[in-house]
Amino acid sequence: MATAQETHKYPGDLNDVPGWFWPLDQVLFSWFLERQERQGTRGDLLELGAYMGKSAILLGHHLRDGETLTVCDLFGTEPPDAANRAEAAKSYSTLTRQAFERNYLSFHEALPAIVQDVSSTITDEVAPGTCRFAHIDASHLYEHVHGDIGAARDLLLPDGIVVLDDFRSEHTPGVAVAAWEAVLNRGLRPVCLSSQKLYGTWGDPEPVQEELLAALRERDDVAVTVEEAAGHRLVRARAKGKRMRPPSLPSSRHPAPAPAPATPTPRAQARPAQARPPRPRTPRERARRLALDVLPPVVTRAVRRYRATQRAKAGATAQNTGGTGRSRP
Ligand SMILES: C[S@@+](CC[C@H](N)C(=O)[O-])C[C@H]1O[C@@H](n2cnc3c(N)ncnc32)[C@H](O)[C@@H]1O
């Protein structure tokens, strides 16, 4: 059996897994996948670019019996060209397939189908028209993303959802070109834009967009704007603050051990907390408290006894009549 220290190497929850999968996108992924589940849409899930598994683990949480999640990643093998090599060296140098598998298995009993290869091979591995959801997050260079978008179009079901990562980040202009090219020339219809990702479909965007708008407008942690561009309705969602109501997330099979209960200090042990009398709130109450303080103790005790008896009587009357038990003195 693993010791507490060994267990601690495993992610205790999804946010312990390294990656670039922010809370608003966790909410949006979950919403799209749960809508498909509600509508009885069946199909496989696909991710190009899994890194340490952060988004793949959430996708795996939505897999149902008979469906397959396929992830494709180089996982440290030689990239196909110099630009892709530079990208990998800069951002993914610590990645190993073992790290992905260890993270994934911390949340799920079985691994997804893994294609350890360049993303352009994915159409040899997954059958056309079989996927309901595809996340494109592998290379961020134009030529690769252009190819990945073409592959997603072939592999998705007619109303399937494709998600393009980093479609407008400063450091990924190639994704922006490929994404808007797909919208303007390759039939992709945007459903929603988050700060990092474009969600689209080659089906009819209107029903899903309407439902999504209604769902997002119910939330007080997401700001939504709608505008038209080149004949497309663009729904933009933005996280309002740092705290976002999370979707249902998979639980780790290695949760972090609960913190040990705090040991009380000897001083706290020796002196149990004493009930303090309530502070007088009104000038009248304060004057009465002062009067009781300056009277001889024997008189003060008699007054307090008398008032306690009066309060007990008032409480008994209120219980019988359903009142609050409060009475003016
Ligand atoms: C941005 S990371 C993926 C992040 C992950 N989806 C997440 O949300 O945490 C990009 C991944 O794509 C992989 N990658 C880069 N170029 C690739 C290529 N040409 N084919 C397949 N995978 C590639 C990298 O190894 C890296 O793991």
Side-chain angles (χ1 to χ4, degrees):
M1 201 176 127
T3 65
Q5 237 181 3
E6 284 166 338
T7 311
H8 202 63
K9 298 190 293 214
Y10 296 100
D13 67 44
L14 189 64
N15 292 314
D16 291 342
V17 179
W20 297 268
F21 188 39
W22 309 117
L24 175 59
D25 290 302
Q26 297 177 15
V27 167
L28 289 169
F29 269 50
S30 303
W31 186 86
F32 281 104
L33 291 159
E34 282 165 14
R35 177 179 182 270
Q36 292 180 329
E37 287 153 26
R38 275 197 308 279
Q39 297 206 325
T41 306
R42 299 192 62 77
D44 295 331
L45 310 180
L46 173 66
E47 179 164 81
L48 305 181
Y51 191 55
M52 299 276 189
K54 192 164 194 151
S55 44
I57 289 165
L58 183 69
L59 290 174
H61 186 52
H62 291 278
L63 260 190
R64 284 165 308 159
D65 285 351
E67 294 179 338
T68 303
L69 165 63
T70 303
V71 303
C72 171
D73 200 295
L74 294 167
F75 291 124
T77 52
E78 188 63 9
D81 56 63
N84 201 181
R85 226 175 351 264
E87 220 188 353
K90 184 166 167 246
S91 307
Y92 317 125
S93 59
T94 57
L95 176 64
T96 62
R97 179 167 171 166
Q98 287 85 338
F100 167 84
E101 292 187 352
R102 191 194 56 208
N103 288 337
Y104 194 91
L105 290 174
S106 295
F107 294 85
H108 300 297
E109 279 176 12
L111 287 171
I114 297 178
V115 178
Q116 184 169 358
D117 207 338
V118 58
S119 60
S120 57
T121 61
I122 198 64
T123 45
D124 303 331
E125 305 289 337
V126 175
T130 54
C131 296
R132 59 181 168 107
F133 193 96
H135 182 207
I136 299 184
D137 193 8
S139 163
H140 288 50
L141 301 165
Y142 170 77
E143 286 74 15
H144 295 275
V145 182
H146 175 88
D148 293 347
I149 292 174
R153 187 189 47 203
D154 296 344
L155 302 179
L156 279 173
L157 290 157
D159 281 316
I161 297 291
V162 64
V163 187
L164 309 181
D165 182 66
D166 265 342
F167 78 105
R168 60 172 167 164
S169 299
E170 190 200 342
H171 64 292
T172 55
V175 186
V177 175
W180 294 117
E181 174 194 47
V183 171
L184 295 174
N185 302 334
R186 303 174 82 192
L188 180 64
R189 312 290 305 274
V191 176
C192 164
L193 314 176
S194 70
S195 305
Q196 265 76 34
K197 300 188 194 276
L198 183 154
Y199 296 74
T201 180
W202 278 278
D204 179 3
E206 208 180 306
V208 57
Q209 206 172 42
E210 283 302 319
E211 264 186 59
L212 177 64
L213 264 174
L216 293 179
R217 283 180 174 147
E218 296 255 296
R219 299 183 65 112
D220 57 8
D221 52 359
V222 180
V224 186
T225 57
V226 182
E227 66 188 73
E228 294 280 325
H232 294 276
R233 183 160 73 148
L234 303 180
V235 170
R236 195 158 67 86
R238 181 176 56 79
K240 267 189 187 165
K242 288 221 166 99
R243 288 200 158 272
M244 165 133 307
R245 184 152 42 85
S248 140
L249 294 174
S251 317
S252 173
R253 302 164 77 211
H254 309 279
T263 319
T265 60
R267 191 186 155 111
Q269 274 172 333
R271 295 211 316 185
Q274 282 183 4
R276 294 172 123 248
R279 279 168 150 266
R281 280 165 305 183
T282 63
R284 193 186 156 122
E285 279 177 3
R286 277 196 290 275
R288 235 196 280 121
R289 168 74 59 84
L290 185 66
L292 284 176
D293 286 349
V294 295
L295 283 170
V298 60
V299 181
T300 303
R301 274 199 300 276
V303 172
R304 286 203 164 121
R305 252 197 318 273
Y306 169 76
R307 289 164 95 210
T309 317
Q310 293 301 103
R311 272 199 301 275
K313 276 189 195 160
T317 314
Q319 263 189 359
N320 292 337
T321 58
T324 61
R326 291 220 192 94
S327 58
R328 287 178 73 80

